[in-house]
Each structure stands twice: as C-alpha cells, then as structure tokens.
Amino acid sequence: MSRTSPAAAVAVLCCFVMMCGTPFLPGCEGCRHDEKSALLDILDQFDYYDSLDWSSRDCCEWDAVTCSSRTGRVTGLDLSILESIGSGSGLLNATTFLPLQELRNLSLNYLYIQGCYPGAGFEVWSKLRKLEILDLSNNKLDESSITSFVAVSSLRSLLLHGNAFSSNLTIQGLSTMKLHTLDLGNNYIHGKLATDICNMGDLQELHLSGNILLGELPSCMKNLASLRILDLSHNTGLILKFPSPIFPSLTSLVKLSLLNNCLEGVLSLSSLLSPQLTHLELASNGNGNHFQVQTENPATHPSAQLKVLVLRNCNLNGNSSVIPSFLLHQHALETVDMPNNNLTGYFPLWLIDNNVNLSTLVLRGNSFTGPFLPSKVHTNLHWMDASHNRLRKLPVDINTTLPNLRYLTLSGNYFRGTFPSTLSYMDNLQYLDLSYNNFSDNIASAFVGSMSNITALKLSGNHFYGAFPQDIQLPSILHLLMDENEIKGELPQKICDSMKLMTFDASNNELTGHLPTCIYQLSALAILKLKGNSLTGSIPSGLCGLRKLVFLDISSNNLSGPVHCLPNLYHVHMSENRLNGTFPIPLSVGTNIYTVDLRDNQFSGILPELIGKSFPNLKVLLLKGNMFNGIVPNDVCNLRYLRLLDLSHNKLSGQLPLCLYIMGLDDGLFNFEPGFGTFPELFEVTGLPDQEGFMTKGRQDNYRGNILNYMTGLDFSSNQLKGSIHESIGDMKWLRALNFSENNFDGSIPQSLSNLSDLESLDLSHNKLAGQIPSELAALPSLEVFSVAYNNLSGPTPGTKGQFITFDQSSYEGNPYLCGPPFLKSCSVPELEEHGEEDDDKVGDIILFGCSAMFYMAGFWTSLGVLYFKASWRWSWFSAVDMFSDFVMVKLAIYTRKIRGAS
C-alpha cells in the first residue's frame, strides 16, 4: 500500500482550498445544497414578505440560520423573525425539515401553525436525532399534537407558550418526556395541576403562567429537586397555602414567580431565600388579610443577594408599615417592586444608593414622604414609580441626578405649583405621569424643550388651563392624556401632525369648536376620548378613515347632525349630544363591537332587524332617550354575550320577543379589558378606558373596568310595549336589574321571576298588570328596590317576608285592591268573602221589607180614599167582596163535609 508524501498532501489540500475559493464549483459553498434547498422549501410554507435576507450564496450567512463552524451544517433555524401569518391552511409539512440532520435548535414562533399535514406531522422529527430545543410558542396548537411531540425523544426543551392547550391531558401526555424545560404558559389549561408533573424529575424550568389552574399544588412537587425556574404566576384560581412543604424543598430554585395567585397564610421569607435564589415574585390576587409575608421574625437569610424582588399586596409583617430591614443588606438588586404594602416613613433613598445596578423601582400605593432622589448621580435607574404616596416637593435637579430615567410616574401625590421645568431637560424621558396632583399652569408649558420628544404624557386631574398651543409639535407622542383639567379653546390642526398618536384623551375640559377635519391623518389612533366638553358641529367624515380606531368617546358635547359613517370600532360612546338620523353603527356580520352607548340623542327609525348577527360580541347596548320606534326585533335574542340593555324612553311598541331569555346566555367573552391590544407597560398610563352608565335602584350609576363583570340589567321602561311578561324571563338568571315600568304590559306577574337569585332591582310599575303578587318573590335574597305601583293588582302583598320588610307603601301605591303589610288594611281572603256575603244579605232584606211596607200602605190608603168619595165604586167593591166571601164559604163547607165522610 503506497503512502502519499507530506508534500503531496499539502499540495492536494492547497488545490482543494483554491478550488473552494471559486464560487461556481459545486460543493464549496458554506452549507450543503440539500440543506439550502430544504430551507427554501421551508420558507415557501409561509408568507414572509421579504423580511429575510437570503440573497447570499452561502446559506450559513442567511438571516435566522445558524451553522456549525466545524462542519458547515445547519444547527439552528429561527423563523420567528418572519412575524407573519402562516400558510392559508395553517398546516405545516414537517418532512421539509428532515434534510437538516444536524439541527439542534428550531424556533417557529408566531407563525399561527394549527397542526401538520397528514403523514407529515411533528413525529417525523424523531429522525432529527440532535434536535434538542423546539419553540412552537404563539401558534394555534392543541392536545392533538401531544403524541407527536412525545415521539421526538431527543427533545430537552419544549416551548409551547401561547397556544390552545386546554386540559390536563397536555401535562399527562408530556410527562413521559425527559425534558429539562417545559413552557406551557398562556394557554387555557383548566383544573387542578396533574400529579403526572411529578414524574418529570429532570425538569429544570417549568413555566405554567397565565392558565386557569385551580386548587392546590400536588404535594409531590417537592420532589422536583432539579427545578431552577418555577413560574406559576397569573393563575388566579391556584391556591398556595403557607407555610408550604413544597417551596423550601426546591433548594435549586433561582427564580420563583407566584404573581397573581391566591396566596393564603403566613410566609416566612427566610424559608425561601436560599443563597442561589435571585428572582422572587409574590403577589396575591385575593384578600390581603388572608396572606402576609414576615420579613423580621425570624431574621431573613443574610446571604441571599436578590436581583429581582416583587412583593405586591403582601401585607408585610402584618401591615406594620415598616420597610423590611433585610433590604439594607441587599446590593445586587436590579428590580424592586413593592406596591400597596402601606409602608410609611421617608422614601428609602438608600435602596438606590446601595444598589448601583437598580434599574426599576416601584413603590406605588404606600405612604412615603420626604425627598425621593438619591444623594449622588445614579445612571442605571430607568423606571421609577412613586405614585400614590405623600410626596410634596419635586426636586429641581432630577434631570442631573437621574439622567437616564425613561419612565417616571408621580401621580396621586401632593405636588403643586407650575409644571416642573426641570423635566423639560430630561432627554431620555419617554413616559411621564403627573396626573391627579395640584399642578396649576398654562398647558403650553408642558410642551417645551425635550418634552416634544416624549412618548407618553399624562397630566390628567390637575388644574392646567389655557389653550393648546396652535404650533404644538409632538412627533414622537404615542399617548397624550389631558383629561379633567380646565383647558379651553379649539383643538389645534397641528395635532394631526402627530402621526404616531395612539391615545388622545382630552375629556372633561372646556374645549370648544369643531372636531379637526384633518383627523383622518392620525392613522395610528386607537383611543379618542373627548367626553364632557362643548364641542359643536358634526362628526367629520374623516373619522371613518381611522382604521385602527377601536375606542371612541365623544359623549356630553353639543355635536349635531347625522353620523354618516364610523370605522369598525370596539367601543362607541356618543351619548348626550344632539345627533340624529337612523341607527349609526354600520351593519356587517362578525363586527368586533363590544359596547354601544347612544343615550339621550335624537336618533330615530327602527332598530336593526339583524342586530344579533351584525354584533355577535356585543356586551352593552344603551339607547335610552331617543326616538326609536317599531318593535324590538327577534334577532336581539342572538346577542348571547349581552349584559346591559337599555331601550328606555323611546317609542317602541308591540310585544317583547318570546326568545328574550336566550339573550346573554353566554359569558365567555365577558371581559372588559381593553380590546385593542397591549401598549408597552402602559396600563398605568392609559388605564381601563371603558365606563358604562346604567339606571338601577332608582339612580344612575357608572360602572368602570371589570366592575362591569358584575353589573347586568334590562331596561325597557317608558315605551309603548304591550302583551304579557313571559315566564321565560325567569331563565335570565344573570340579571341584577329589571325595569319594565311605564308601558302597557298586562296579564299577571310571572312567578318565575323568583328564579332570579341575583336580582337587586325590580320595577314593574305603571302598567296594566292584574292578579296577585307572587308570594315566591319573597325568596329573592338580594332585592333592594321593588315597585309594582299603579297597576291593577289585588290580594295580599308578600308582607314582611325576606327583603320585603324594607319596602314601604310607595312600592304598592295605585293598587286599591291590595291588602296586608305595609298597608294598615289587613286581609284574610276566605273570611273577607264570607262576611261580605252575610252583610250583603242583611242589607237586601231591609231594603225589600221597607219597599213592601211602603207599597202596602200606599195601596191601602189609596183604596180607602177612592171608596169614600166614589159611591158606585164602593157598592161594586162590597158586592164583589160579598160574592167572594160566599164562594169561599161554600167551598170551605163542601171540603169539610168530604173530610168528615172520609173519616
């Protein structure tokens, strides 16, 4: 066997290198041809809109592709960069990935994958024997994919965050895998956490946040000794009782997140703070009195150096108001988030001084006083929330002490005076919230210097006055909130140059003039709130061009004229204006609208016949105080998510639909979080914008945010409706308020109303109802307001049973045949009828006797008078009497003789 000389080998190698330097020779590119072809086939399954640069001949240089420096083969592929929708079918052909035999890390995040083609499912990836990390987060996968994942035995990290998994079968099915990381966060997994999770002894990371887990954790979880990260946050029904045997046993934990769970008992912080723990997040969603964190007794572990500490609503040390002393010994903190713990004393500046890496400090909702700036310059603090404390003085050197501050909220304190000019020189400031203080200044002072570059500005609830500057320039503004001030004048046309503006709230000011005609230029606008001003004129047609507008509130102004068009909104509030024309919301099947408030305008015509099909997600419909006529359409029954319906004070007629009980049958969509996406960290800036007004318990109340989850009602009062109130109304068990007053309803009060166990207000007054009040209504446990006044009711009232002990005569007035409490007239129905008949007989006998006597006397004296003055009549009368007497005597003698003969 001949050997190649070293010189020859070097020559061959040099030749090979020279050949590979020639780009046109096959086999010399950085990645293999079969892998390059496979990558193109994979990409063809998605609509990627040229978002990737795959122009190089070497696919290892392509965006989203990672190759081995040793072999040149593809080891990583991250297509989440596409940010696209998937193919039309939503199905993936998993076999196209098989040529990538060295693939270790695959991310198909945000591609809206629903599953795989038959025969080309995820199970084929079992042939990719080096595939360890698979990220399929934020797709549409469900339990049908579980068995195919199990087949891929090489997997060690499986990320399924934000899909459609819904049952414990998910965890049961995956529990046989040898995973180190499992992420099932933000799915719909419901029920108690399956004990099968305890079989996954190799787990190092477990993410189950944002599901619907209920009950307590299985105690066997204490055996998951390898866990380094455990995230159970945002499962509001998950009950975690302390002291607990589980968490102290997990001695390898680096991060523990129990945010927005149902925490109970007393937790000694020292039981969790092992030396390796760096991230601790605790926040109870329940009653704060049921959970408390003890930090002082026993003493907290001194060797723990945390990076992230979150203690929200934790009733620290039994609400002692003292800031935890162990924080004095912390020097590695990057995030401190301790709102709503009733902490008092001077603002803890030492937290900033002691932790040079501190970037986020949230101490909202405590009672701190004094200065809140550190003694020296701190360049790492980016986020500071000191809202809702007792701070009074804003430092003039904040721009130099905290030069890199990006987010600052000081709302709900006691600051006063003019707008702090020092903020105008903070070049890095992006979000500023000074709302609900006592600042008083011309609004123009808030738009000078670096403020023109700000991203979000909230000055609500102060005393800013004057007019918006006509030359206002806010090229970077996303959220501008100026509500509840004293700002006057017209909205400047220049506001339309703020092309990035997403939220604009200038409600409850003193604005005048028309809505800017240039409003169509605000193409990013999502929330527009101008309620409670004095705006005039009509709604500009340019409003229709705002395709991203989902929340519109122009209530309580002087706007007039018809509404020609509106965009596809989620929330429409146009009440208390002088708008007219027909129902203004465009009808289209499958619209996203949730709330409609058109109260107290001059709209007329009939209600849309296809209202249920056009607005399938409608939760609130308020049409009070208009001139709508005709019947209530049957299609209103298809509003299966409706919770507040106010059609009062219109001109509606006819009978109510018999199918009304179907309305509001479902509550799956009943969530009043804003339906327009999430703004970055801005719920504290924008808040929950939706607020609904509804008349109940005799008063108009406003319900805001998720309080709307608990307020439900129907109001058909002050119309011309007729017919009977159907028994099926009693099936609407979600009702809390029901008002049918001032109509023409007849028939009886349905006994089925007693099934409405949550009913708080029932008004049936001013109708033509007859019969008795059902005694079963006395079983309604929550009834606070009740009226059946001015009907034709009779018989006994429900008396003083249950809640009816609180109702006085005004609830029953105008029904003269009612008796019993609260009337003084007592009643027992059988005795009342018997005595009444006896009394009637006695009166009749007296009347009959008197009339007979009167006629007898009159006839007797009249006959005597005639016989006295008329001799011929007197002779005839006595002759007739003699003849009659003789006849009687003869008959009597014959009758007597016969009787004697018989005897």
Side-chain angles (χ1 to χ4, degrees):
M1 184 175 180
S2 62
R3 293 185 177 180
T4 304
S5 67
V10 172
V12 171
L13 181 61
C14 291
C15 179
F16 181 80
V17 171
M18 291 176 62
M19 290 171 63
C20 288
T22 306
F24 300 102
L25 292 175
C28 292
E29 298 176 5
C31 69
R32 293 162 49 117
H33 281 296
D34 59 337
E35 294 192 335
K36 182 176 182 179
S37 178
L39 290 171
L40 293 173
D41 289 342
I42 291 168
L43 194 63
D44 283 343
Q45 298 183 68
F46 306 102
D47 301 319
Y48 54 92
Y49 305 116
D50 297 325
S51 57
L52 296 176
D53 181 5
W54 281 18
S55 58
S56 172
R57 293 183 60 87
D58 183 358
C59 64
C60 289
E61 296 181 1
W62 288 358
D63 288 345
V65 178
T66 304
C67 293
S68 168
S69 59
R70 183 176 61 85
T71 64
R73 299 199 63 168
V74 175
T75 59
L77 179 61
D78 182 2
L79 294 182
S80 60
I81 194 174
L82 295 179
E83 297 182 358
S84 69
I85 60 172
S87 59
S89 65
L91 299 179
L92 183 71
N93 184 353
T95 60
T96 57
F97 294 80
L98 293 182
L100 308 178
Q101 284 293 305
E102 298 290 329
L103 193 63
R104 295 177 179 273
N105 189 339
L106 175 59
S107 178
L108 301 176
N109 198 349
Y110 275 114
L111 295 179
Y112 295 87
I113 300 169
Q114 298 179 14
C116 296
Y117 287 105
F122 299 119
E123 66 275 1
V124 303
W125 289 347
S126 61
K127 299 177 181 179
L128 301 177
R129 301 190 182 281
K130 295 187 178 181
L131 184 61
E132 294 184 352
I133 302 173
L134 176 59
D135 186 354
L136 285 165
S137 300
N138 302 300
N139 284 289
K140 297 182 177 181
L141 301 171
D142 57 24
E143 283 76 11
S144 61
S145 303
I146 292 175
T147 54
S148 58
F149 294 138
V150 175
V152 190
S153 58
S154 61
L155 284 178
R156 294 297 175 263
S157 295
L158 181 58
L159 310 178
L160 299 173
H161 184 96
N163 277 279
F165 297 100
S166 60
S167 76
N168 268 327
L169 295 176
T170 305
I171 294 174
Q172 293 173 11
L174 299 175
S175 63
T176 60
M177 301 181 72
K178 303 297 182 181
L179 294 175
H180 295 163
T181 300
L182 176 60
D183 187 349
L184 289 169
N186 279 43
N187 278 277
Y188 304 94
I189 299 175
H190 184 274
K192 296 191 69 172
L193 183 59
T195 56
D196 302 75
I197 196 69
C198 302
N199 298 330
M200 305 183 75
D202 295 330
L203 272 181
Q204 298 178 18
E205 296 187 24
L206 177 59
H207 302 267
L208 294 173
S209 63
N211 281 285
I212 318 172
L213 295 176
L214 306 172
E216 299 184 35
L217 292 178
S219 59
C220 61
M221 283 188 67
K222 65 183 179 182
N223 298 324
L224 298 178
S226 299
L227 271 182
R228 299 180 68 252
I229 296 176
L230 177 58
D231 188 352
L232 301 171
S233 60
H234 303 289
N235 286 279
T236 56
L238 185 60
I239 301 173
L240 304 173
K241 295 182 178 181
F242 295 95
S244 167
I246 298 176
F247 304 109
S249 300
L250 305 179
T251 55
S252 299
L253 279 180
V254 173
K255 176 181 178 180
L256 175 62
S257 181
L258 304 178
L259 297 176
N260 295 335
N261 298 125
C262 187
L263 308 182
E264 298 180 1
V266 179
L267 167 63
S268 176
L269 202 60
S270 61
S271 67
L272 296 182
L273 293 186
S274 57
Q276 65 271 14
L277 189 72
T278 60
H279 291 66
L280 178 61
E281 301 174 350
L282 302 174
S284 179
N285 65 345
N287 188 333
N289 294 327
H290 293 164
F291 176 67
Q292 63 175 277
V293 174
Q294 286 288 342
T295 66
E296 308 306 304
N297 186 20
T300 302
H301 199 298
S303 62
Q305 286 295 314
L306 297 171
K307 291 183 178 180
V308 174
L309 176 63
V310 179
L311 297 173
R312 299 176 189 163
N313 312 307
C314 284
N315 193 17
L316 292 176
N317 302 307
N319 207 18
S320 67
S321 304
V322 179
I323 193 167
S325 60
F326 83 95
L327 290 175
L328 288 165
H329 307 289
Q330 297 293 307
H331 301 284
L333 286 168
E334 298 173 3
T335 296
V336 175
D337 187 346
M338 298 195 302
N340 305 317
N341 282 296
N342 195 36
L343 302 176
T344 61
Y346 284 110
F347 195 87
L349 300 177
W350 45 266
L351 264 177
I352 306 175
D353 289 331
N354 290 355
N355 297 275
V356 294
N357 294 319
L358 190 67
S359 63
T360 300
L361 179 60
V362 178
L363 295 173
R364 177 182 67 252
N366 288 290
S367 299
F368 290 121
T369 60
F372 63 93
L373 287 188
S375 57
K376 53 189 177 184
V377 175
H378 196 292
T379 58
N380 287 323
L381 193 63
H382 297 150
W383 187 290
M384 186 173 189
D385 184 349
S387 59
H388 301 283
N389 279 278
R390 297 182 179 180
L391 305 176
R392 295 179 180 274
K393 187 175 181 181
L394 191 66
V396 296
D397 58 343
I398 188 172
N399 60 317
T400 56
T401 306
L402 301 174
N404 295 322
L405 204 60
R406 293 200 296 263
Y407 179 105
L408 176 63
T409 173
L410 299 172
S411 66
N413 279 285
Y414 297 94
F415 298 112
R416 60 178 62 248
T418 59
F419 183 85
S421 59
T422 184
L423 298 176
S424 302
Y425 301 98
M426 299 187 71
D427 296 336
N428 294 308
L429 192 63
Q430 296 179 15
Y431 302 101
L432 175 62
D433 184 355
L434 299 178
S435 61
Y436 301 100
N437 282 283
N438 287 306
F439 290 111
S440 180
D441 200 353
N442 193 302
I443 192 61
S445 63
F447 302 106
V448 298
S450 299
M451 297 300 295
S452 61
N453 297 320
I454 205 153
T455 302
L457 178 61
K458 185 174 183 180
L459 301 178
S460 311
N462 282 284
H463 302 286
F464 288 102
Y465 54 85
F468 286 110
Q470 292 299 310
D471 59 349
I472 188 172
Q473 293 186 358
L474 297 169
S476 302
I477 197 75
L478 298 176
H479 310 284
L480 183 60
L481 297 99
M482 303 285 167
D483 53 300
E484 297 183 49
N485 280 285
E486 298 151 23
I487 304 171
K488 300 182 179 180
E490 298 186 4
L491 289 171
Q493 293 283 328
K494 275 286 186 181
I495 197 72
C496 298
D497 294 339
S498 303
M499 304 293 290
K500 299 179 180 179
L501 189 62
M502 298 171 66
T503 306
F504 182 52
D505 187 352
S507 54
N508 298 317
N509 278 283
E510 301 172 23
L511 298 174
T512 56
H514 294 187
L515 288 169
T517 55
C518 63
I519 197 169
Y520 68 90
Q521 296 177 215
L522 300 174
S523 57
L525 196 62
I527 302 174
L528 177 60
K529 299 181 69 176
L530 296 170
K531 174 184 178 180
N533 284 284
S534 299
L535 298 172
T536 57
S538 60
I539 298 175
S541 58
L543 194 71
C544 250
L546 301 180
R547 299 302 180 189
K548 295 184 178 181
L549 188 68
V550 293
F551 188 97
L552 173 66
D553 190 349
I554 50 176
S555 304
S556 303
N557 280 283
N558 293 315
L559 299 169
S560 58
V563 181
H564 295 292
C565 64
L566 288 172
N568 187 12
L569 297 159
Y570 285 19
H571 304 275
V572 181
H573 296 256
M574 298 193 295
S575 64
E576 298 179 25
N577 281 285
R578 292 182 288 117
L579 300 169
N580 57 36
T582 57
F583 190 79
I585 315 298
L587 300 179
S588 58
V589 175
T591 185
N592 291 318
I593 200 160
Y594 290 94
T595 60
V596 174
D597 185 356
L598 307 178
R599 291 171 300 151
D600 299 315
N601 278 284
Q602 299 169 15
F603 293 111
S604 58
I606 62 172
L607 298 178
E609 290 185 4
L610 299 179
I611 189 169
K613 294 182 177 64
S614 298
F615 311 133
N617 298 332
L618 194 64
K619 304 173 184 177
V620 175
L621 179 60
L622 308 177
L623 303 180
K624 171 187 175 183
N626 284 282
M627 295 180 286
F628 290 110
N629 55 39
I631 64 171
V632 178
N634 281 328
D635 198 48
V636 76
C637 301
N638 288 321
L639 298 172
R640 298 177 66 87
Y641 297 106
L642 199 71
R643 283 299 186 275
L644 287 178
L645 175 63
D646 189 349
L647 300 179
S648 64
H649 296 273
N650 279 281
K651 298 180 179 180
L652 300 172
S653 58
Q655 299 185 8
L656 289 177
L658 295 180
C659 58
L660 203 62
Y661 68 97
I662 301 175
M663 185 175 63
L665 193 61
D666 296 335
D667 59 1
L669 285 178
F670 197 59
N671 181 0
F672 278 86
E673 296 289 333
F676 34 79
T678 55
F679 299 129
E681 308 287 355
L682 271 177
F683 267 16
E684 296 303 324
V685 175
T686 62
L688 292 169
D690 197 34
Q691 177 175 297
E692 309 297 342
F694 191 77
M695 179 72 74
T696 181
K697 302 180 186 178
R699 64 179 185 270
Q700 178 83 16
D701 286 326
N702 291 317
Y703 302 92
R704 185 181 181 88
N706 279 325
I707 292 296
L708 284 166
N709 282 312
Y710 307 102
M711 186 55 222
T712 57
L714 300 181
D715 192 343
F716 290 98
S717 63
S718 299
N719 280 284
Q720 299 162 20
L721 299 168
K722 63 181 182 180
S724 61
I725 301 174
H726 200 265
E727 286 280 345
S728 61
I729 295 292
D731 292 332
M732 306 178 77
K733 295 183 180 180
W734 47 271
L735 281 176
R736 291 182 180 271
L738 181 61
N739 192 344
F740 284 161
S741 65
E742 298 189 53
N743 279 284
N744 295 310
F745 290 114
D746 54 23
S748 59
I749 297 175
Q751 178 183 330
S752 64
L753 294 181
S754 61
N755 297 331
L756 306 178
S757 57
D758 291 332
L759 199 65
E760 299 173 359
S761 178
L762 176 61
D763 192 347
L764 304 176
S765 62
H766 296 274
N767 279 287
K768 299 177 180 178
L769 300 172
Q772 294 189 0
I773 302 172
S775 60
E776 291 82 359
L777 295 182
L780 293 173
S782 304
L783 199 62
E784 296 180 25
V785 173
F786 174 75
S787 180
V788 291
Y790 297 100
N791 279 283
N792 299 318
L793 300 170
S794 60
T797 68
T800 57
K801 299 176 182 177
Q803 290 293 103
F804 280 80
I805 195 173
T806 64
F807 305 138
D808 58 22
Q809 293 188 21
S810 62
S811 296
Y812 305 98
E813 62 186 350
N815 293 280
Y817 301 113
L818 285 176
C819 58
F823 296 111
L824 298 178
K825 180 173 58 176
S826 64
C827 55
S828 176
V829 175
E831 294 181 4
L832 178 65
E833 293 177 352
E834 182 179 343
H835 292 170
E837 289 175 359
E838 292 178 1
D839 292 341
D840 289 344
D841 289 342
K842 292 179 180 178
V843 172
D845 291 343
I846 293 171
I847 293 174
L848 179 60
F849 178 81
C851 291
S852 300
M854 182 180 64
F855 283 114
Y856 177 81
M857 294 297 293
F860 176 77
W861 290 109
T862 300
S863 299
L864 288 179
V866 170
L867 294 175
Y868 180 80
F869 292 105
K870 197 75 172 173
S872 60
W873 285 20
R874 185 166 59 245
W875 183 87
S876 298
W877 168 258
F878 285 117
S879 295
V881 170
D882 286 342
M883 291 176 65
F884 179 76
S885 299
D886 292 341
F887 175 79
V888 171
M889 293 301 292
V890 171
K891 290 292 185 182
L892 182 59
I894 295 172
Y895 180 74
T896 303
R897 186 175 298 168
K898 284 182 179 181
I899 292 175
R900 288 176 179 176
S903 59

